[in-house]
Amino acid sequence: MFDERKDQIKKAALKLFAEKGLAGTKMSMIAEEAGISQGLTYRYFESKDEIFGILVEEAIEESRNAIRNIGTLPGSPLEQLKAFTLRLLDENHKQYFLLVQQAQTSEVVPSKALEAIERYSPQDTIEQIMPIFVRGQQEGLFAEGNAAKRLIVFLSVLNGLMLQDAKAMGMNWAQDVDLVLNILTK
Amino acid sequence: MFDERKDQIKKAALKLFAEKGLAGTKMSMIAEEAGISQGLTYRYFESKDEIFGILVEEAIEESRNAIRNIGTLPGSPLEQLKAFTLRLLDENHKQYFLLVQQAQTSEVVPSKALEAIERYSPQDTIEQIMPIFVRGQQEGLFAEGNAAKRLIVFLSVLNGLMLQDAKAMGMNWAQDVDLVLNILTK
DNA sequence: GTCTATAGCAGGATAGAC
DNA sequence: GTCTATCCTGCTATAGAC
């Protein structure tokens, strides 16, 4: 089926882009990872840039959803943020997250992907998480003081963890998230 | 002078490699950043890979020094780690750090750079910082429990901060490091 | 020492056979 | 639908003039 092969290629591309960036990923690598010939890729996508652009948009969409859902998770604000953190650290989201990372820091990004990224500022993310954090502060779960600043640090930290984790240090996060949440609770 | 021009090229290359990775950085960009013609670069270096390799080795050397010096800094273990953190976050070290990051995660790295990186495992870093941390624990400055694990998280966090910072969110770290050190002290 | 011009090659994209 | 062969662009690296 057409769409299934498409997904297969996207999956291979996501893995490589997240790891090696746009310029570092060759079409031949994507084809190999997907187990097809190099030329076939072009029956499903117009160009490397197109694949990259689509993935970046999906990643942002995905990330938006994860954040939007925090509020609907069960438990206290602390438990909500913990669940959110664990979700981000799982394999699938991690790749998306790293892709956005690559797109933001690294290299010359195709214009379409660039637009998507510019619409998706870290500021947005912080504003969405803010109410939950503030509620947690009121309940005495989190540290007092400038919430935005603390959340920036917290998100940076998640970034770092995902990158580190990508290098396969083999930590079991389910067990260790609490250390990370210390940033918020102290 | 020959060596000065060489440094000028290395400086330009470091900035770009740290930002865009090896594959994402073109020789033309390096030349432009250094304000010279593209061809001239090859009078000073054999290849792009050579420049990259040299920079990676310097970065690792630099990082080793920073870590080695922690113990000789004045103050309590907490103050020592604070000073170390601030040093890493300053412009120069940040670029080196990001370069190593790029080399570790991203792309196909030339063999010479690869060797250097493999000799420089995160495990090393942790082992070097460990004694200071343990001393801090004994003095009651840091949290009890598994030191290695906490240090991994801590270093991941520094990673994340440098990356985030690279995206110019304009935080004044001198003021905010304490949030980060909470990971160790709680 | 430095620049401009260009050779040579890697990799993105296309054509055509099966 | 898929593969192999090939075109063509863009980049690394070199040659040669000033």
Side-chain angles (χ1 to χ4, degrees):
Chain A
M1 176 47 177
F2 189 79
D3 281 345
E4 277 163 27
R5 181 119 286 188
K6 238 180 140 159
D7 283 348
Q8 176 190 5
I9 295 168
K10 285 204 305 199
K11 197 180 162 197
L14 173 58
K15 182 182 169 191
L16 291 162
F17 284 142
E19 232 169 68
K20 299 173 193 307
L22 176 60
T25 302
K26 312 303 175 195
M27 285 303 262
S28 56
M29 298 180 190
I30 296 176
E32 195 186 345
E33 176 75 29
I36 60 176
S37 76
Q38 184 258 83
L40 186 56
T41 317
Y42 289 89
R43 297 281 157 193
Y44 294 86
F45 298 94
E46 294 224 322
S47 67
K48 190 165 87 158
D49 283 3
E50 193 206 9
I51 306 179
F52 190 80
I54 290 171
L55 286 173
V56 167
E57 290 192 350
E58 281 186 15
I60 289 174
E61 188 52 37
E62 193 52 34
S63 164
R64 281 233 163 79
N65 285 339
I67 290 167
R68 202 176 6 248
N69 284 335
I70 301 177
T72 71
L73 295 168
S76 68
L78 178 59
E79 284 162 334
Q80 288 176 330
L81 287 179
K82 182 171 176 175
F84 167 71
T85 304
L86 283 171
R87 181 172 171 190
L88 279 190
L89 287 167
D90 99 53
E91 194 50 40
N92 227 339
H93 286 84
K94 208 167 56 192
Q95 285 188 349
Y96 272 137
F97 202 98
L98 289 170
L99 177 76
V100 174
Q101 188 68 36
Q102 291 276 9
Q104 281 175 336
T105 59
S106 306
E107 45 214 306
V108 186
V109 172
S111 56
K112 205 188 162 203
L114 195 65
E115 283 171 40
I117 286 167
E118 275 166 7
R119 282 198 306 275
Y120 174 71
S121 76
Q123 204 48 47
D124 270 21
T125 312
I126 288 162
E127 274 165 29
Q128 289 207 51
I129 303 183
M130 187 81 85
I132 293 161
F133 184 74
V134 170
R135 190 149 47 79
Q137 281 184 322
Q138 286 161 355
E139 294 179 19
L141 290 165
F142 296 136
E144 299 297 318
N146 188 325
K149 200 167 267 185
R150 215 168 262 266
L151 283 175
I152 288 176
V153 174
F154 180 66
L155 290 173
S156 302
V157 162
L158 292 187
N159 241 297
L161 288 180
M162 280 184 272
L163 281 166
Q164 209 64 31
D165 199 30
K167 282 184 276 166
M169 305 209 35
M171 284 197 77
N172 177 8
W173 291 117
Q175 198 179 327
D176 302 315
V177 217
D178 293 325
L179 286 185
V180 182
L181 291 168
N182 271 210
I183 295 164
L184 302 177
T185 57
K186 179 63 175 286
Chain B
M1 178 48 178
F2 188 80
D3 281 346
E4 278 164 26
R5 179 120 289 187
K6 238 180 140 157
D7 283 348
Q8 174 190 6
I9 295 168
K10 285 204 305 200
K11 197 180 161 197
L14 173 58
K15 183 183 168 192
L16 290 163
F17 284 143
E19 233 169 69
K20 301 173 194 303
L22 176 60
T25 301
K26 311 303 175 193
M27 286 301 261
S28 56
M29 298 179 191
I30 296 176
E32 194 186 345
E33 177 75 29
I36 60 176
S37 76
Q38 184 259 86
L40 186 56
T41 318
Y42 288 90
R43 297 281 156 193
Y44 295 86
F45 298 94
E46 294 224 322
S47 65
K48 190 165 87 159
D49 284 2
E50 193 206 8
I51 306 178
F52 191 80
I54 290 170
L55 286 173
V56 167
E57 290 192 349
E58 282 186 14
I60 289 173
E61 190 50 39
E62 193 52 35
S63 163
R64 279 232 164 78
N65 285 339
I67 290 166
R68 204 177 3 251
N69 284 335
I70 301 177
T72 70
L73 295 169
S76 69
L78 177 60
E79 284 162 334
Q80 288 176 330
L81 287 179
K82 182 172 177 173
F84 166 71
T85 304
L86 283 172
R87 180 172 172 191
L88 280 190
L89 287 167
D90 99 52
E91 194 49 42
N92 227 338
H93 286 84
K94 208 168 55 194
Q95 286 189 348
Y96 273 136
F97 202 97
L98 289 171
L99 178 76
V100 174
Q101 187 69 33
Q102 291 276 8
Q104 281 175 335
T105 59
S106 307
E107 46 213 307
V108 186
V109 172
S111 57
K112 206 188 162 203
L114 195 66
E115 282 172 40
I117 286 167
E118 274 166 7
R119 283 197 307 274
Y120 173 71
S121 75
Q123 203 48 47
D124 270 20
T125 313
I126 288 162
E127 274 165 29
Q128 290 207 51
I129 302 183
M130 187 82 85
I132 293 161
F133 185 74
V134 171
R135 191 150 45 80
Q137 281 184 320
Q138 286 160 355
E139 295 179 19
L141 289 166
F142 296 136
E144 298 299 317
N146 188 325
K149 200 166 268 186
R150 215 167 263 265
L151 283 174
I152 288 176
V153 174
F154 180 67
L155 291 173
S156 302
V157 164
L158 291 187
N159 243 296
L161 288 181
M162 280 184 274
L163 281 166
Q164 209 65 30
D165 200 30
K167 282 185 276 164
M169 305 208 34
M171 284 196 77
N172 177 7
W173 291 116
Q175 196 180 327
D176 301 315
V177 218
D178 293 324
L179 287 184
V180 182
L181 290 168
N182 271 210
I183 295 164
L184 302 177
T185 57
K186 177 64 176 287

